[in-house]
mmCIF file of all heavy atoms in Angstrom:
data_model
loop_
_atom_site.group_PDB
_atom_site.id
_atom_site.type_symbol
_atom_site.label_atom_id
_atom_site.label_comp_id
_atom_site.label_asym_id
_atom_site.label_seq_id
_atom_site.Cartn_x
_atom_site.Cartn_y
_atom_site.Cartn_z
ATOM 1 N N ARG P 1 184.223 9.102 154.714
ATOM 2 C CA ARG P 1 183.458 9.534 155.942
ATOM 3 C C ARG P 1 182.881 8.571 156.762
ATOM 4 O O ARG P 1 182.799 8.603 157.981
ATOM 5 C CB ARG P 1 182.469 10.693 155.507
ATOM 6 C CG ARG P 1 183.029 12.009 154.991
ATOM 7 C CD ARG P 1 181.933 13.088 154.949
ATOM 8 N NE ARG P 1 180.733 12.680 154.226
ATOM 9 C CZ ARG P 1 180.543 13.024 153.091
ATOM 10 N NH1 ARG P 1 181.461 13.727 152.333
ATOM 11 N NH2 ARG P 1 179.417 12.678 152.373
ATOM 12 N N SER P 2 182.410 7.462 156.073
ATOM 13 C CA SER P 2 181.614 6.460 156.767
ATOM 14 C C SER P 2 182.327 5.183 156.993
ATOM 15 O O SER P 2 181.851 4.205 157.542
ATOM 16 C CB SER P 2 180.268 6.018 156.028
ATOM 17 O OG SER P 2 180.639 5.497 154.735
ATOM 18 N N MET P 3 183.727 5.198 156.686
ATOM 19 C CA MET P 3 184.527 3.997 156.863
ATOM 20 C C MET P 3 184.344 3.409 158.208
ATOM 21 O O MET P 3 184.242 2.171 158.353
ATOM 22 C CB MET P 3 185.920 4.286 156.427
ATOM 23 C CG MET P 3 186.814 2.992 156.366
ATOM 24 S SD MET P 3 186.360 1.761 155.281
ATOM 25 C CE MET P 3 186.751 2.578 153.826
ATOM 26 N N PRO P 4 184.696 4.118 159.366
ATOM 27 C CA PRO P 4 184.602 3.506 160.671
ATOM 28 C C PRO P 4 183.362 2.709 160.867
ATOM 29 O O PRO P 4 183.260 1.614 161.380
ATOM 30 C CB PRO P 4 184.889 4.665 161.659
ATOM 31 C CG PRO P 4 185.630 5.645 160.779
ATOM 32 C CD PRO P 4 185.077 5.589 159.416
ATOM 33 N N ARG P 5 182.318 3.478 160.678
ATOM 34 C CA ARG P 5 180.902 2.881 160.862
ATOM 35 C C ARG P 5 180.668 1.564 160.031
ATOM 36 O O ARG P 5 180.219 0.548 160.583
ATOM 37 C CB ARG P 5 179.858 3.799 160.728
ATOM 38 C CG ARG P 5 178.408 3.229 160.988
ATOM 39 C CD ARG P 5 177.355 4.286 160.848
ATOM 40 N NE ARG P 5 177.593 5.366 161.759
ATOM 41 C CZ ARG P 5 176.796 6.488 161.836
ATOM 42 N NH1 ARG P 5 175.793 6.678 160.951
ATOM 43 N NH2 ARG P 5 177.043 7.546 162.678
ATOM 44 N N ARG P 6 181.024 1.730 158.796
ATOM 45 C CA ARG P 6 180.856 0.577 157.857
ATOM 46 C C ARG P 6 181.714 -0.599 158.238
ATOM 47 O O ARG P 6 181.396 -1.669 158.059
ATOM 48 C CB ARG P 6 180.958 1.037 156.347
ATOM 49 C CG ARG P 6 179.920 1.943 155.899
ATOM 50 C CD ARG P 6 179.913 2.120 154.502
ATOM 51 N NE ARG P 6 178.918 3.016 153.975
ATOM 52 C CZ ARG P 6 177.617 2.719 153.860
ATOM 53 N NH1 ARG P 6 177.261 1.413 154.149
ATOM 54 N NH2 ARG P 6 176.728 3.568 153.379
ATOM 55 N N SER P 7 182.999 -0.261 158.603
ATOM 56 C CA SER P 7 183.926 -1.272 159.015
ATOM 57 C C SER P 7 183.407 -2.048 160.151
ATOM 58 O O SER P 7 183.482 -3.297 160.215
ATOM 59 C CB SER P 7 185.292 -0.692 159.350
ATOM 60 O OG SER P 7 185.844 -0.040 158.240
ATOM 61 N N LEU P 8 182.850 -1.402 161.170
ATOM 62 C CA LEU P 8 182.312 -2.032 162.348
ATOM 63 C C LEU P 8 181.068 -2.899 161.863
ATOM 64 O O LEU P 8 180.938 -4.068 162.382
ATOM 65 C CB LEU P 8 181.873 -1.075 163.311
ATOM 66 C CG LEU P 8 182.978 -0.333 164.059
ATOM 67 C CD1 LEU P 8 182.383 0.727 164.958
ATOM 68 C CD2 LEU P 8 183.773 -1.267 164.910
ATOM 69 N N THR P 9 180.254 -2.396 161.078
ATOM 70 C CA THR P 9 179.052 -3.249 160.466
ATOM 71 C C THR P 9 179.617 -4.365 159.756
ATOM 72 O O THR P 9 178.991 -5.470 159.977
ATOM 73 C CB THR P 9 178.250 -2.276 159.511
ATOM 74 O OG1 THR P 9 177.819 -1.043 160.159
ATOM 75 C CG2 THR P 9 177.034 -3.015 159.116
ATOM 76 N N TYR P 10 180.568 -4.330 158.912
ATOM 77 C CA TYR P 10 181.053 -5.406 158.169
ATOM 78 C C TYR P 10 181.733 -6.465 159.101
ATOM 79 O O TYR P 10 181.367 -7.698 158.939
ATOM 80 C CB TYR P 10 182.147 -5.022 157.213
ATOM 81 C CG TYR P 10 181.745 -4.142 156.022
ATOM 82 C CD1 TYR P 10 182.710 -3.532 155.276
ATOM 83 C CD2 TYR P 10 180.443 -4.024 155.727
ATOM 84 C CE1 TYR P 10 182.172 -2.637 154.209
ATOM 85 C CE2 TYR P 10 179.973 -3.198 154.663
ATOM 86 C CZ TYR P 10 180.874 -2.511 153.844
ATOM 87 O OH TYR P 10 180.516 -1.744 152.871
ATOM 88 N N ALA P 11 182.366 -5.989 160.121
ATOM 89 C CA ALA P 11 183.020 -6.892 161.003
ATOM 90 C C ALA P 11 181.998 -7.568 161.839
ATOM 91 O O ALA P 11 182.134 -8.853 162.132
ATOM 92 C CB ALA P 11 183.996 -6.068 161.943
ATOM 93 N N ALA P 12 180.981 -6.826 162.246
ATOM 94 C CA ALA P 12 179.993 -7.657 163.119
ATOM 95 C C ALA P 12 179.224 -8.505 162.309
ATOM 96 O O ALA P 12 178.875 -9.690 162.741
ATOM 97 C CB ALA P 12 178.930 -6.445 163.560
ATOM 98 N N GLY P 13 178.916 -8.161 161.017
ATOM 99 C CA GLY P 13 178.126 -9.097 160.082
ATOM 100 C C GLY P 13 178.967 -10.405 159.907
ATOM 101 O O GLY P 13 178.483 -11.463 159.959
ATOM 102 N N ILE P 14 180.225 -10.217 159.580
ATOM 103 C CA ILE P 14 181.143 -11.366 159.298
ATOM 104 C C ILE P 14 181.262 -12.268 160.602
ATOM 105 O O ILE P 14 181.199 -13.465 160.485
ATOM 106 C CB ILE P 14 182.496 -10.890 158.848
ATOM 107 C CG1 ILE P 14 182.267 -10.211 157.507
ATOM 108 C CG2 ILE P 14 183.436 -11.955 158.674
ATOM 109 C CD1 ILE P 14 183.619 -9.618 156.869
ATOM 110 N N ALA P 15 181.503 -11.618 161.692
ATOM 111 C CA ALA P 15 181.624 -12.346 162.928
ATOM 112 C C ALA P 15 180.357 -13.223 163.172
ATOM 113 O O ALA P 15 180.425 -14.258 163.602
ATOM 114 C CB ALA P 15 181.835 -11.320 164.123
ATOM 115 N N GLY P 16 179.191 -12.443 163.021
ATOM 116 C CA GLY P 16 177.959 -13.177 163.258
ATOM 117 C C GLY P 16 177.725 -14.416 162.321
ATOM 118 O O GLY P 16 177.338 -15.431 162.722
ATOM 119 N N ALA P 17 178.179 -14.244 161.071
ATOM 120 C CA ALA P 17 178.126 -15.295 160.124
ATOM 121 C C ALA P 17 178.937 -16.475 160.478
ATOM 122 O O ALA P 17 178.650 -17.663 160.314
ATOM 123 C CB ALA P 17 178.410 -14.840 158.689
ATOM 124 N N PHE P 18 180.254 -16.015 160.964
ATOM 125 C CA PHE P 18 181.215 -17.041 161.354
ATOM 126 C C PHE P 18 180.625 -17.872 162.573
ATOM 127 O O PHE P 18 180.852 -19.136 162.500
ATOM 128 C CB PHE P 18 182.508 -16.426 161.696
ATOM 129 C CG PHE P 18 183.586 -17.282 162.282
ATOM 130 C CD1 PHE P 18 184.176 -18.187 161.324
ATOM 131 C CD2 PHE P 18 183.879 -17.317 163.547
ATOM 132 C CE1 PHE P 18 185.148 -19.147 161.732
ATOM 133 C CE2 PHE P 18 184.879 -18.260 163.984
ATOM 134 C CZ PHE P 18 185.458 -19.116 163.121
ATOM 135 N N LEU P 19 180.086 -17.187 163.506
ATOM 136 C CA LEU P 19 179.606 -17.890 164.746
ATOM 137 C C LEU P 19 178.417 -18.928 164.247
ATOM 138 O O LEU P 19 178.332 -19.870 164.804
ATOM 139 C CB LEU P 19 179.135 -16.899 165.787
ATOM 140 C CG LEU P 19 180.262 -16.129 166.443
ATOM 141 C CD1 LEU P 19 179.722 -15.098 167.391
ATOM 142 C CD2 LEU P 19 181.251 -17.056 167.221
ATOM 143 N N ALA P 20 177.537 -18.363 163.381
ATOM 144 C CA ALA P 20 176.474 -19.172 162.941
ATOM 145 C C ALA P 20 176.977 -20.441 162.205
ATOM 146 O O ALA P 20 176.433 -21.476 162.390
ATOM 147 C CB ALA P 20 175.486 -18.326 161.984
ATOM 148 N N LEU P 21 178.021 -20.253 161.379
ATOM 149 C CA LEU P 21 178.547 -21.322 160.683
ATOM 150 C C LEU P 21 179.156 -22.410 161.567
ATOM 151 O O LEU P 21 178.989 -23.575 161.473
ATOM 152 C CB LEU P 21 179.723 -20.811 159.779
ATOM 153 C CG LEU P 21 180.506 -21.967 158.900
ATOM 154 C CD1 LEU P 21 179.733 -22.741 158.062
ATOM 155 C CD2 LEU P 21 181.636 -21.221 158.184
ATOM 156 N N ARG P 22 179.929 -21.856 162.681
ATOM 157 C CA ARG P 22 180.526 -22.879 163.686
ATOM 158 C C ARG P 22 179.379 -23.610 164.242
ATOM 159 O O ARG P 22 179.439 -24.826 164.492
ATOM 160 C CB ARG P 22 181.206 -22.110 164.707
ATOM 161 C CG ARG P 22 182.617 -21.589 164.146
ATOM 162 C CD ARG P 22 183.421 -20.942 165.368
ATOM 163 N NE ARG P 22 183.673 -21.982 166.389
ATOM 164 C CZ ARG P 22 184.245 -21.854 167.523
ATOM 165 N NH1 ARG P 22 184.617 -20.521 167.845
ATOM 166 N NH2 ARG P 22 184.522 -22.683 168.391
ATOM 167 N N LEU P 23 178.290 -23.013 164.686
ATOM 168 C CA LEU P 23 177.165 -23.670 165.281
ATOM 169 C C LEU P 23 176.559 -24.699 164.369
ATOM 170 O O LEU P 23 176.281 -25.847 164.777
ATOM 171 C CB LEU P 23 176.096 -22.641 165.721
ATOM 172 C CG LEU P 23 174.830 -23.187 166.506
ATOM 173 C CD1 LEU P 23 175.246 -23.927 167.692
ATOM 174 C CD2 LEU P 23 173.852 -22.098 166.665
ATOM 175 N N VAL P 24 176.294 -24.421 163.016
ATOM 176 C CA VAL P 24 175.766 -25.347 162.135
ATOM 177 C C VAL P 24 176.770 -26.557 161.968
ATOM 178 O O VAL P 24 176.241 -27.627 162.047
ATOM 179 C CB VAL P 24 175.570 -24.639 160.781
ATOM 180 C CG1 VAL P 24 175.243 -25.713 159.767
ATOM 181 C CG2 VAL P 24 174.408 -23.681 160.932
ATOM 182 N N LEU P 25 177.973 -26.264 161.765
ATOM 183 C CA LEU P 25 178.879 -27.271 161.539
ATOM 184 C C LEU P 25 179.069 -28.300 162.783
ATOM 185 O O LEU P 25 179.208 -29.492 162.715
ATOM 186 C CB LEU P 25 180.317 -26.866 161.118
ATOM 187 C CG LEU P 25 180.371 -26.135 159.747
ATOM 188 C CD1 LEU P 25 181.716 -25.619 159.538
ATOM 189 C CD2 LEU P 25 179.923 -27.116 158.678
ATOM 190 N N ARG P 26 178.896 -27.749 163.992
ATOM 191 C CA ARG P 26 179.125 -28.468 165.181
ATOM 192 C C ARG P 26 177.900 -29.408 165.372
ATOM 193 O O ARG P 26 178.028 -30.521 165.730
ATOM 194 C CB ARG P 26 179.217 -27.473 166.409
ATOM 195 C CG ARG P 26 179.335 -28.221 167.748
ATOM 196 C CD ARG P 26 179.446 -27.198 168.846
ATOM 197 N NE ARG P 26 180.527 -26.275 168.769
ATOM 198 C CZ ARG P 26 180.772 -25.280 169.486
ATOM 199 N NH1 ARG P 26 179.945 -24.952 170.524
ATOM 200 N NH2 ARG P 26 181.854 -24.533 169.354
ATOM 201 N N ASN P 27 176.737 -28.927 164.995
ATOM 202 C CA ASN P 27 175.598 -29.736 165.106
ATOM 203 C C ASN P 27 175.549 -30.792 164.111
ATOM 204 O O ASN P 27 175.011 -31.933 164.344
ATOM 205 C CB ASN P 27 174.290 -28.880 164.900
ATOM 206 C CG ASN P 27 174.020 -28.025 166.157
ATOM 207 O OD1 ASN P 27 174.500 -28.320 167.250
ATOM 208 N ND2 ASN P 27 173.434 -26.853 165.978
ATOM 209 N N ILE P 28 176.162 -30.584 162.896
ATOM 210 C CA ILE P 28 176.189 -31.529 161.883
ATOM 211 C C ILE P 28 177.048 -32.735 162.274
ATOM 212 O O ILE P 28 176.705 -33.936 162.043
ATOM 213 C CB ILE P 28 176.784 -30.986 160.558
ATOM 214 C CG1 ILE P 28 175.771 -30.106 159.819
ATOM 215 C CG2 ILE P 28 177.212 -32.048 159.613
ATOM 216 C CD1 ILE P 28 176.241 -29.278 158.766
ATOM 217 N N HIS P 29 178.198 -32.433 162.901
ATOM 218 C CA HIS P 29 179.185 -33.528 163.285
ATOM 219 C C HIS P 29 178.955 -34.101 164.676
ATOM 220 O O HIS P 29 179.641 -35.059 165.084
ATOM 221 C CB HIS P 29 180.577 -32.884 163.268
ATOM 222 C CG HIS P 29 181.058 -32.558 161.892
ATOM 223 N ND1 HIS P 29 181.184 -33.419 160.879
ATOM 224 C CD2 HIS P 29 181.161 -31.253 161.303
ATOM 225 C CE1 HIS P 29 181.581 -32.781 159.804
ATOM 226 N NE2 HIS P 29 181.637 -31.467 159.957
ATOM 227 N N ARG P 30 177.895 -33.560 165.409
ATOM 228 C CA ARG P 30 177.670 -34.225 166.812
ATOM 229 C C ARG P 30 176.880 -35.497 166.566
ATOM 230 O O ARG P 30 176.058 -35.602 165.751
ATOM 231 C CB ARG P 30 176.834 -33.222 167.534
ATOM 232 C CG ARG P 30 176.445 -33.624 168.902
ATOM 233 C CD ARG P 30 175.696 -32.588 169.636
ATOM 234 N NE ARG P 30 176.507 -31.448 169.906
ATOM 235 C CZ ARG P 30 176.134 -30.271 170.251
ATOM 236 N NH1 ARG P 30 174.833 -30.025 170.492
ATOM 237 N NH2 ARG P 30 176.821 -29.199 170.574
ATOM 238 N N ILE P 31 177.317 -36.435 167.387
ATOM 239 C CA ILE P 31 176.613 -37.777 167.295
ATOM 240 C C ILE P 31 176.152 -38.102 168.701
ATOM 241 O O ILE P 31 176.598 -37.667 169.769
ATOM 242 C CB ILE P 31 177.488 -38.821 166.666
ATOM 243 C CG1 ILE P 31 178.701 -39.074 167.643
ATOM 244 C CG2 ILE P 31 178.070 -38.492 165.329
ATOM 245 C CD1 ILE P 31 179.570 -40.231 167.273
ATOM 246 N N ASP P 32 175.122 -39.146 168.694
ATOM 247 C CA ASP P 32 174.663 -39.595 169.999
ATOM 248 C C ASP P 32 175.357 -40.872 170.273
ATOM 249 O O ASP P 32 175.418 -41.855 169.440
ATOM 250 C CB ASP P 32 173.107 -39.958 169.770
ATOM 251 C CG ASP P 32 172.473 -40.410 171.034
ATOM 252 O OD1 ASP P 32 173.165 -40.490 171.994
ATOM 253 O OD2 ASP P 32 171.266 -40.866 170.969
ATOM 254 N N PHE P 33 176.054 -40.945 171.433
ATOM 255 C CA PHE P 33 176.867 -42.046 171.671
ATOM 256 C C PHE P 33 175.956 -43.241 172.382
ATOM 257 O O PHE P 33 176.537 -44.303 172.608
ATOM 258 C CB PHE P 33 177.943 -41.708 172.651
ATOM 259 C CG PHE P 33 179.052 -40.881 172.005
ATOM 260 C CD1 PHE P 33 179.014 -39.431 172.211
ATOM 261 C CD2 PHE P 33 180.005 -41.438 171.155
ATOM 262 C CE1 PHE P 33 180.072 -38.625 171.632
ATOM 263 C CE2 PHE P 33 180.997 -40.683 170.592
ATOM 264 C CZ PHE P 33 180.971 -39.236 170.825
ATOM 265 N N GLU P 34 174.751 -43.121 172.554
ATOM 266 C CA GLU P 34 173.989 -44.105 173.253
ATOM 267 C C GLU P 34 174.042 -45.384 172.380
ATOM 268 O O GLU P 34 173.590 -45.341 171.129
ATOM 269 C CB GLU P 34 172.539 -43.522 173.315
ATOM 270 C CG GLU P 34 171.600 -44.580 173.984
ATOM 271 C CD GLU P 34 171.925 -44.699 175.520
ATOM 272 O OE1 GLU P 34 172.274 -43.696 176.128
ATOM 273 O OE2 GLU P 34 171.846 -45.805 176.031
ATOM 274 N N GLY P 35 174.522 -46.511 173.009
ATOM 275 C CA GLY P 35 174.427 -47.766 172.277
ATOM 276 C C GLY P 35 175.687 -47.974 171.222
ATOM 277 O O GLY P 35 175.764 -48.988 170.738
ATOM 278 N N ARG P 36 176.482 -46.902 171.085
ATOM 279 C CA ARG P 36 177.692 -46.990 170.133
ATOM 280 C C ARG P 36 178.871 -47.579 170.903
ATOM 281 O O ARG P 36 178.996 -47.550 172.138
ATOM 282 C CB ARG P 36 177.926 -45.629 169.639
ATOM 283 C CG ARG P 36 176.866 -45.119 168.669
ATOM 284 C CD ARG P 36 177.279 -43.861 168.154
ATOM 285 N NE ARG P 36 176.231 -43.208 167.393
ATOM 286 C CZ ARG P 36 176.080 -43.282 166.043
ATOM 287 N NH1 ARG P 36 176.960 -44.029 165.348
ATOM 288 N NH2 ARG P 36 175.015 -42.657 165.380
ATOM 289 N N THR P 37 179.714 -48.190 170.091
ATOM 290 C CA THR P 37 181.012 -48.832 170.698
ATOM 291 C C THR P 37 182.080 -47.968 170.446
ATOM 292 O O THR P 37 182.413 -47.514 169.415
ATOM 293 C CB THR P 37 181.209 -50.154 169.941
ATOM 294 O OG1 THR P 37 180.037 -51.021 170.178
ATOM 295 C CG2 THR P 37 182.426 -50.861 170.576
ATOM 296 N N VAL P 38 182.817 -47.623 171.611
ATOM 297 C CA VAL P 38 183.975 -46.753 171.467
ATOM 298 C C VAL P 38 185.212 -47.661 171.982
ATOM 299 O O VAL P 38 185.211 -48.163 173.044
ATOM 300 C CB VAL P 38 183.765 -45.524 172.521
ATOM 301 C CG1 VAL P 38 185.073 -44.670 172.431
ATOM 302 C CG2 VAL P 38 182.550 -44.650 172.035
ATOM 303 N N VAL P 39 186.271 -47.677 171.180
ATOM 304 C CA VAL P 39 187.487 -48.392 171.456
ATOM 305 C C VAL P 39 188.468 -47.282 171.899
ATOM 306 O O VAL P 39 188.723 -46.404 171.124
ATOM 307 C CB VAL P 39 187.955 -49.157 170.263
ATOM 308 C CG1 VAL P 39 189.263 -49.889 170.590
ATOM 309 C CG2 VAL P 39 186.852 -50.183 169.823
ATOM 310 N N ILE P 40 189.099 -47.515 172.967
ATOM 311 C CA ILE P 40 190.161 -46.633 173.417
ATOM 312 C C ILE P 40 191.452 -47.474 173.809
ATOM 313 O O ILE P 40 191.353 -48.483 174.540
ATOM 314 C CB ILE P 40 189.614 -45.927 174.763
ATOM 315 C CG1 ILE P 40 188.349 -45.238 174.513
ATOM 316 C CG2 ILE P 40 190.700 -44.967 175.322
ATOM 317 C CD1 ILE P 40 187.649 -44.643 175.775
ATOM 318 N N THR P 41 192.553 -46.951 173.374
ATOM 319 C CA THR P 41 193.810 -47.561 173.818
ATOM 320 C C THR P 41 194.309 -46.972 175.040
ATOM 321 O O THR P 41 194.390 -45.814 175.174
ATOM 322 C CB THR P 41 194.895 -47.497 172.614
ATOM 323 O OG1 THR P 41 195.082 -46.056 172.365
ATOM 324 C CG2 THR P 41 194.380 -48.149 171.371
ATOM 325 N N GLY P 42 194.735 -47.809 176.064
ATOM 326 C CA GLY P 42 195.151 -47.468 177.342
ATOM 327 C C GLY P 42 194.056 -47.812 178.340
ATOM 328 O O GLY P 42 192.849 -48.125 177.969
ATOM 329 N N GLY P 43 194.513 -47.870 179.592
ATOM 330 C CA GLY P 43 193.564 -48.426 180.626
ATOM 331 C C GLY P 43 193.594 -47.509 181.923
ATOM 332 O O GLY P 43 192.886 -47.857 182.866
ATOM 333 N N ARG P 44 194.387 -46.377 181.921
ATOM 334 C CA ARG P 44 194.285 -45.509 182.993
ATOM 335 C C ARG P 44 194.679 -44.057 182.514
ATOM 336 O O ARG P 44 194.674 -43.757 181.333
ATOM 337 C CB ARG P 44 195.521 -45.895 183.998
ATOM 338 C CG ARG P 44 196.910 -45.930 183.435
ATOM 339 C CD ARG P 44 197.831 -46.497 184.439
ATOM 340 N NE ARG P 44 199.191 -46.691 183.759
ATOM 341 C CZ ARG P 44 200.143 -45.724 183.705
ATOM 342 N NH1 ARG P 44 199.918 -44.618 184.206
ATOM 343 N NH2 ARG P 44 201.328 -45.992 183.184
ATOM 344 N N GLY P 45 194.705 -43.185 183.491
ATOM 345 C CA GLY P 45 194.931 -41.707 183.134
ATOM 346 C C GLY P 45 193.860 -41.136 182.174
ATOM 347 O O GLY P 45 192.635 -41.233 182.310
#
């Protein structure tokens, strides 16, 4: 009887957890480029 409602609840909960995980991992891997050396191959485009 409650499957549709519970399915939506599960989906919303999992989606929220996934978005939170993406945010955490993005912040972990973000770096400050100030003063860092970046080497790039190519000189145009």
Side-chain angles (χ1 to χ4, degrees):
R1 288 199 303 267
S2 61
M3 183 62 71
R5 180 178 298 175
R6 290 192 181 279
S7 296
L8 290 174
T9 303
Y10 293 165
I14 292 172
F18 176 73
L19 292 174
L21 172 60
R22 285 188 61 187
L23 180 62
V24 169
L25 293 178
R26 183 179 298 174
N27 288 333
I28 288 174
H29 295 293
R30 181 175 295 167
I31 64 173
D32 181 4
F33 289 103
E34 184 69 36
R36 294 182 184 267
T37 301
V38 178
V39 179
I40 304 172
T41 58
R44 57 186 173 88

